Structure formats: C-alpha cells, structure tokens
Amino acid sequence: MSSFVMQIRWTEIFAFTLPDCSLPVPWEVPSFLEKYVQQLCLPHFLTAMGGLVAVPLILSKGLCLEHDLLTQSHLINTIFFVSGICTLLQVVFGVRLPIIQGGTVTFLTPILAMLSLPSWKCPAWTQNATLVNASSPEFIQVWQTRMREVQGTIIVASCFQIFVGFSGLIGFLMRFIGPLTIAPTITLVALPLFEPAGDMAGQHWGIAFMTIFFIVLFSQYLKDIAVPLPSYQRDKKCHYSPIYLFQIFPVLLGLSLSWLLCYVLTVTGVLPAAPAAYGHLARTDTRGNVLAQAPWFRLPYPGQWGTPTVSVAGIFGILAGVISSMMESVGDYYACARLCGAPPPPQHAINRGIGVEGIGCLLAGAWGTGSGTTSYSENVGALGITKVGSPVVIIAGACAMLLSGIFGKVGAMLASIPVPVIGGMFIVMFGVITAVGISNLQYTDMNSSRNIFIFGFSLFAGLTIPNWASKNSTLLETGIIQLDQVILVLLTTGMFVGGLLGFILDNTIPGTQEERGLLAWKQSHEGGMESSQLVSKVYDLPFGIGTKYCNVSWFRYLPACPKRLSCDKRMDELKAAGQKNSVKTSLERNSEISADTRI
C-alpha cells in the first residue's frame, strides 16, 4: 500500500492529546473544525454504516426476529451507540490512531453456529409473520433468551482478548500465526454467509442485481471522478471543492438509488401486493411501518435485554472469531499509521489497542449488540481518499454514531430497507471480505506446493466438515450434553476448522520463514528509524498519564505502557537525529547548487 502525504502533519494531528505540547490544539481553531470535522467526519460515519447495519440484520433470523422489525431497529441503534463509545476509547486511550470501531463479522459465524444448536433453534411459529405478536411475553422470552446467551459468550470471550492485549501476549502469538493461518480463517468468515445473502437477494433478483450494479459502478468505474460540490471556508468563502463521492460512498449511493427504485415500483404497482407473490418483499411499504412504530429517542443501556447467560459451547466458538479479529486489527494499525504519515505503532501501543478492543467487545456484550467490535478496514481506506488523518475527525464521527444510536428513527429507517436491496449489498460485502482473506497469501510463496496444499486443504475442510457436522449431529453425541454442544459448535464453525488446520499444518510442515510469508509480513510492519520522542508524541498515554501523572517506577514495566529511555540514551538519540538532519540539509544544498549551475 503506497504512502500518502496528508494535508496535516502527524505532529499537528496528535497535538490535542498532549498537554505539554507547544503545538496548537486543533479544536481551538475554528477553521480547522470547519474544514476537517464538519466535512470529513461524515465520510467515516457513512462508510462504517454498511458494516454496522449488516450484523443485526444477519443475526435477526437466528434470534427469531425475522418478523420483528422494531426490535431489529433497536439492535441497529444499540450497535451504533456502542461503536461510538468504543471508537472514543480506542482513539483516546487505545492505539491512539484515527481508526473507527464497529461490529465485527468474524463473530457472526460462531454465533450462528451456536444458535443452530437443537436447543436454540427458533420455534416454527416464529417463522410465520401471521402468528408473531412482537409485544407478547412469549415471543419476547423466545428472542431475549437467545440474545442473553449471545451476550454472555461475548463477554467471557472478550476477557480473553483483554488479557492477550494488556499482557503483551499478542506479540508472542504473532510468531506462530502467519498468513497461511489468517487467509483461510478470514476467508471462511464470509463464505458460509452465502446462504442468508442469497436468500435475501432471491426475494427479487432484479432489484438485487441493480444494487450490485450501482455499487460496482460507483466503487470501480467512477471512483476516480471528482464531483464539484459547494463548500464554505473562512479564507475561501463560498467555493466548489472536488469530492470523490463515488469512491467514498459507493455502498450508500447504491443502496439509496435501489431503495428509490423500489419506491417507484411500489407506487406504480409494478411490484406485487400479495404477500405470497415473488418480489413482494421488494416493496417499500412491507417494512415501512417500523418508522411509525419506533420512538424518536431511545437510550440503549447495559442489560437492556436481561441478565446475560453463559454456555461453554458458545465461548469456544467465539474464541476463533476473537483471534482472527485481533490479527486483522494489528494489520489495520500499521496500515492506518502509514496512511497518516505517523511512525509504525510500537509494541505497547499495539498491546493497548488490542486490550481496548477487548473492552469494546465486553461493552458490546453488556449492551447486547449481538456481536463484538473491531477496527474497520474500510475506514482505514477512507483515510487515503480524504487525505486527512486527524483523530478529531474520527472523534466527531464517533459522536455522530452516539447520536444515531439515541435517535430511534435512524435505526428504524435502516431496518426498513427492502430485503433484496440488503441481499445485493451482502453479496458485494461478503465477496470483498472473502477476497481480503485470500489477499493475505501475497506474503507467501504460492509457487510452493507446501503452501498450496496448506491453504487449499484448510479452506476445503473448513467448508466440508461443518456441512457434514450440521447434517449428522447425532453421530457426534457422546452422552454429555455440554460436551456435545462444544463439539458441534466447533465443528460447524468453518473459520475455526480452517484456521486450526492452517495453524497446525503451517507450524509442523517444514518450511522457511520466507516461504511461509512470515519474513515479508514482518518487513511490511517495520518502519524507519524514528526517534523515541517522535513515537511518544503519537502513542504515549493521553493527558500526561505516565509522564506528569501516575509516573511511578514500575509503570514502564507494564506491557501496555511506554518504556522511557534513560537520559544518556535520549541524548545519543538526539545527537544522531541532529547529525542525520545536518547531512540531509547538506545534500539538499548541494543538489540545489548543482541544479543552478547546470547548463
């Protein structure tokens, strides 16, 4: 990934978190807010919207909420609210890079596997819209017991991520988890979701393909076309600024146009009004009633669905999602630092980032979003488009997510999107996630028969074994109910099966570091010889914690805290940096002289 020159130097970007820094505080400068916060927090908020909406809509069937749009809207509001909290924690106290946190798709596969157990399968009457009374105590008990089980397993699994992050074990794990483990794991996150995506798109393939066409058109063919839009700045007053709308909002524009098309076809009577007819769910009036039912304001709170419960089977399954989410987030940290022009994150910042993500998953479980949280890769890519890497922009986006979580009509509006439109978006989204998993193989030597065997076998086994286990669960019974549930959940979770096989084979079959891709992966995460002073300005704890306050002797031994250099080492580093700058200045002066005297 190429490096971008940001409009704001990274030392200015992170100045607001350093009380002892002499640089100006960004939020005290009105022009900064006008230019960067008001105009550029919106792209990050809208870019994350697709992933945030996907999680509750996919889970709704497993939670028996397929015909309860009001509760779906409450779940959407909750995941927006919690994502805003987690983003604030990550930017201020975590890795401290401008990166959005949101609901993770990696938890969906093990959660759906857990909800497919015989004891958690939805009753037949909940699948019939005419028999569902969303306000009845019986129906509320059905879906809330399942949600509380999901909450408990996420809370317990998040404790593992918190421990791995703040203990520094993430660095140890990365010695053994390489591209040949990550590739089949992430690929198998999305591949099993082809069935719900196909079912939704199959409600009207014409509308679904139209949605796919718009998203592909905007994201691939029109991405380099800038649209002049009116804007205002104090120095330039009213003027037109070129904005790459199609590259920033391809999903949002595609959904909006397809939604508008469904409305036109509904009003003109082209789409059938009979509930049993093909294409009925493409009508905008089949899901539009939720807008009138949803309250204007609703504040999500922990335990809103009841006290969480825990099962051993769910915990083991979600742990596979936690590990893959951690590995993906580490890559996002390095990519975000490159795009911001910041130094590569040191180990203590990575440890802190993973630990804070674990806290985010804990909060997501407590609030009941139905999933954990992770760093959003699509928002990292948005940094390269907007060329602005200020944390103030991400903080503004987090505040927008918090407000969206409080406004009940926002979740209701998103829950009312026609089903085939959502299906078309899922086909594109899950296809991209699958390709992202496969792209990890770029670090390995794919001319090696060893690597081809490991990836191919792990991927195919991750599809075959869960399919067989889900159809022959009775053959796996041992007589111990808890053990049977653990075995069934693990064997029906494709990402666990494929990731485990890839991990075992990659670490046991002989192969060089270069062949396995570990060398190239490590080199891609290495940076230049930045000074410790430079790194500390970006990644040290905020508000003087560890420097001015809480500055105790044992503080530097914590894996999530920066380690201070001694005075002698700091002076040597400053001297080396001064010599480097003087040599650079001399070379630049010589080049200018030679350029002036050239004939």
Side-chain angles (χ1 to χ4, degrees):
M1 188 181 299
S2 59
S3 176
F4 289 89
V5 179
M6 312 302 286
Q7 293 180 3
I8 309 174
R9 291 182 297 115
W10 67 266
T11 50
E12 296 172 345
I13 289 171
F14 292 89
F16 77 97
T17 59
L18 297 170
D20 57 345
C21 188
S22 60
L23 293 170
V25 181
W27 53 53
E28 292 180 355
V29 185
S31 61
F32 181 93
L33 289 176
E34 291 174 0
K35 183 176 182 181
Y36 297 109
V37 177
Q38 294 177 359
Q39 297 179 9
L40 295 169
C41 75
L42 189 63
H44 288 283
F45 170 68
L46 296 178
T47 301
M49 185 179 293
L52 292 173
V53 173
V55 173
L57 293 182
I58 285 289
L59 281 178
S60 61
K61 187 174 182 179
L63 293 172
C64 313
L65 293 172
E66 193 173 5
H67 300 294
D68 186 2
L69 297 181
L70 183 60
T71 303
Q72 290 183 30
S73 70
H74 293 339
L75 290 177
I76 293 174
N77 284 120
T78 302
I79 199 170
F80 269 94
F81 187 81
V82 173
S83 297
I85 296 176
C86 297
T87 300
L88 290 175
L89 291 175
Q90 189 65 268
V91 174
V92 178
F93 297 102
V95 72
R96 310 196 69 232
L97 287 169
I99 192 166
I100 290 282
Q101 303 290 294
T104 173
V105 183
T106 57
F107 282 25
L108 286 181
T109 304
I111 289 175
L112 292 175
M114 181 185 71
L115 293 176
S116 65
L117 290 173
S119 58
W120 292 115
K121 282 187 177 180
C122 294
W125 61 270
T126 61
Q127 308 301 314
N128 190 339
T130 58
L131 300 178
V132 172
N133 181 8
S135 59
S136 67
E138 183 183 6
F139 178 75
I140 293 175
Q141 179 69 14
V142 166
W143 75 262
Q144 285 193 358
T145 52
R146 286 157 177 78
M147 173 58 80
R148 291 196 291 267
E149 188 75 10
V150 172
Q151 287 182 250
T153 55
I154 292 175
I155 290 173
V156 175
S158 65
C159 295
F160 171 76
Q161 185 170 359
I162 294 172
F163 173 74
V164 169
F166 288 117
S167 66
L169 281 177
I170 184 66
F172 175 77
L173 291 176
M174 289 190 67
R175 298 179 186 177
F176 304 97
I177 300 177
L180 288 172
T181 303
I182 296 299
T185 302
I186 296 181
T187 302
L188 289 167
V189 166
L191 282 181
L193 298 176
F194 73 91
E195 186 172 354
D199 291 342
M200 290 182 173
Q203 298 298 327
H204 196 294
W205 279 108
I207 299 297
F209 277 125
M210 185 61 64
T211 305
I212 296 171
F213 169 77
F214 283 137
I215 296 176
V216 173
L217 176 67
F218 297 143
S219 65
Q220 304 301 321
Y221 292 99
L222 302 180
K223 62 180 180 180
D224 296 326
I225 297 178
V227 179
L229 294 179
S231 61
Y232 174 82
Q233 294 175 11
R234 286 191 175 183
D235 52 345
K236 297 182 180 180
K237 302 299 180 182
C238 292
H239 65 286
Y240 287 91
S241 299
I243 306 295
Y244 292 91
L245 283 179
F246 302 124
Q247 192 173 5
I248 300 174
F249 307 126
V251 175
L252 180 65
L253 292 174
L255 290 180
S256 301
L257 289 177
S258 298
W259 202 349
L260 179 62
L261 177 62
C262 289
Y263 174 75
V264 173
L265 295 178
T266 301
V267 172
T268 56
V270 175
L271 295 174
Y278 176 79
H280 173 72
L281 291 180
R283 295 178 62 93
T284 55
D285 55 3
T286 59
R287 299 167 68 90
N289 294 334
V290 67
L291 281 170
Q293 299 172 3
W296 278 101
F297 299 99
R298 181 185 179 274
L299 181 63
Y301 57 92
Q304 58 186 330
W305 318 127
T307 305
T309 58
V310 182
S311 68
V312 179
I315 294 172
F316 280 98
I318 291 182
L319 283 178
V322 168
I323 294 174
S324 62
S325 177
M326 288 191 296
M327 297 300 107
E328 185 180 4
S329 293
V330 171
D332 290 337
Y333 298 160
Y334 285 101
C336 185
R338 285 198 300 270
L339 290 174
C340 291
Q347 191 60 48
H348 69 83
I350 295 175
N351 295 339
R352 205 164 57 240
I354 296 298
V356 169
E357 282 195 18
I359 294 176
C361 290
L362 183 68
L363 296 178
W367 257 265
T369 64
S371 181
T373 59
T374 188
S375 299
Y376 268 17
S377 304
E378 53 267 35
N379 286 89
V380 175
L383 292 174
I385 300 172
T386 62
K387 305 294 192 297
V388 175
S390 170
V392 180
V393 174
I394 304 300
I395 289 174
C399 294
M401 287 192 286
L402 286 172
L403 292 175
S404 300
I406 296 174
F407 284 101
K409 297 296 184 182
V410 173
M413 181 186 67
L414 295 174
S416 64
I417 301 175
V419 174
V421 176
I422 299 172
M425 179 191 71
F426 282 170
I427 290 176
V428 176
M429 180 185 298
F430 297 149
V432 172
I433 294 174
T434 302
V436 168
I438 297 175
S439 68
N440 285 276
L441 298 175
Q442 65 182 305
Y443 301 105
T444 65
D445 179 12
M446 290 312 293
N447 289 321
S448 168
S449 58
R450 170 193 182 275
N451 294 345
I452 293 176
F453 166 75
I454 292 175
F455 176 72
F457 176 73
S458 302
L459 183 64
F460 198 75
L463 294 172
T464 306
I465 295 176
N467 181 65
W468 178 87
S470 62
K471 295 178 180 178
N472 300 275
S473 58
T474 55
L475 299 177
L476 300 173
E477 294 179 355
T478 62
I480 305 174
I481 297 177
Q482 291 79 7
L483 181 60
D484 292 344
Q485 291 179 344
V486 171
I487 294 174
L488 188 58
V489 168
L490 292 181
L491 291 184
T492 54
T493 304
M495 58 182 295
F496 171 79
V497 175
L500 180 64
L501 290 174
F503 173 79
I504 294 174
L505 295 175
D506 188 35
N507 286 278
T508 55
I509 298 178
T512 64
Q513 294 277 315
E514 183 177 4
E515 184 182 13
R516 296 173 60 188
L518 297 177
L519 189 61
W521 203 357
K522 182 179 179 180
Q523 290 175 349
S524 68
H525 290 168
E526 290 179 349
M529 300 297 293
E530 287 84 3
S531 67
S532 61
Q533 187 177 11
L534 203 64
V535 173
S536 66
K537 285 187 176 182
V538 183
Y539 298 107
D540 277 9
L541 290 167
F543 313 122
I545 300 175
T547 54
K548 286 188 174 182
Y549 312 104
C550 304
N551 190 9
V552 292
S553 59
W554 50 266
F555 199 73
R556 64 180 181 272
Y557 296 108
L558 297 178
C561 298
K563 295 174 175 55
R564 300 293 171 191
L565 293 177
S566 63
C567 293
D568 294 338
K569 289 184 178 180
R570 187 178 294 276
M571 289 300 297
D572 293 340
E573 190 180 72
L574 291 175
K575 289 179 182 179
Q579 293 176 357
K580 182 178 179 181
N581 290 334
S582 63
V583 172
K584 181 179 180 181
T585 304
S586 176
L587 291 174
E588 290 177 351
R589 188 183 301 112
N590 292 337
S591 63
E592 291 175 359
I593 293 174
S594 61
D596 292 337
T597 57
R598 188 180 299 115
I599 299 177

